[in-house]
């Protein structure tokens, strides 16, 4: 997708603080972090949201969650606990329509999140 911000980060056309990469996923720090660990984990392939990703049914959604856990281990938050958030749709706060898992950790996380 030529006009997609995260596709451009995948293509390395826009810089990002990349912390983890596999053949099918990329993880980079959020530009506006909401927690000490706030990393966006994305599939390199463009899917607009979590449902579209799941519909692909090719293991990519699994890879995304495994990559999120790997980043949590790397950042030292896997033991204390972390949250994975997939905002889906504008009413839920989705602003970039290339599916991304927010990995949040490193501070106590309130529930419900608001
Ligand atoms: P959403 O609101 O769609 O769930 O999440 C989009 C996230 O992308 C936001 O947390 C926002 O801070 C982050 N973001 C937006 N533009 C950029 C960018 O150019 N680089 C990085 N690293 N994060 C971005
Ligand atoms: Zn994209």
């Amino acid at each position: 997708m030529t006009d997609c911000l995260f596709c451009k980060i995948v293509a390395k056309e826009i810089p990002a603080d990349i912390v983890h990469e596999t053949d099918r996923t990329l993880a980079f720090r959020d530009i506006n972090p909401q927690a000490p660990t706030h990393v966006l984990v994305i599939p390199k392939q463009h899917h607009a949201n979590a449902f579209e990703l799941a519909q692909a049914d090719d293991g990519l959604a699994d890879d995304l969650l495994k990559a999120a856990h790997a980043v949590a281990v790397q950042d030292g938050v896997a033991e204390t606990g972390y949250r994975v958030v997939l905002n889906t749709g504008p009413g839920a706060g989705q602003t970039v329509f290339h599916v991304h898992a927010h990995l949040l950790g490193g501070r106590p996380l309130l529930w419900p999140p608001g």
Side-chain angles (χ1 to χ4, degrees):
M1 276 226 157
T2 49
D3 62 346
C4 171
L5 174 64
F6 287 175
C7 281
K8 286 180 181 159
I9 287 178
V10 170
K12 313 269 162 84
E13 289 168 19
I14 291 177
D17 183 1
I18 294 169
V19 295
H20 189 266
E21 183 167 8
T22 69
D23 56 338
R24 298 212 286 175
T25 66
L26 190 71
F28 49 92
R29 297 206 184 275
D30 196 291
I31 206 167
N32 182 24
Q34 303 301 313
T37 289
H38 187 176
V39 172
L40 302 175
V41 189
I42 68 170
K44 291 182 175 176
Q45 191 176 62
H46 183 92
H47 293 285
N49 57 43
F51 177 60
E52 280 193 16
L53 174 66
Q55 270 189 316
D57 204 19
D58 59 359
L60 192 51
D62 301 13
D63 284 3
L64 196 73
L65 290 177
K66 286 184 232 175
H69 184 77
V71 175
V73 170
Q74 205 172 274
D75 257 30
V77 301
E79 294 286 322
T80 47
Y82 62 87
R83 186 170 292 163
V84 175
V85 176
L86 291 149
N87 293 330
T88 306
Q94 187 177 7
T95 58
V96 178
F97 290 86
H98 179 133
V99 63
H100 47 281
H102 293 259
L103 167 67
L104 297 152
R107 65 164 169 81
L109 296 167
L110 300 178
W111 190 264

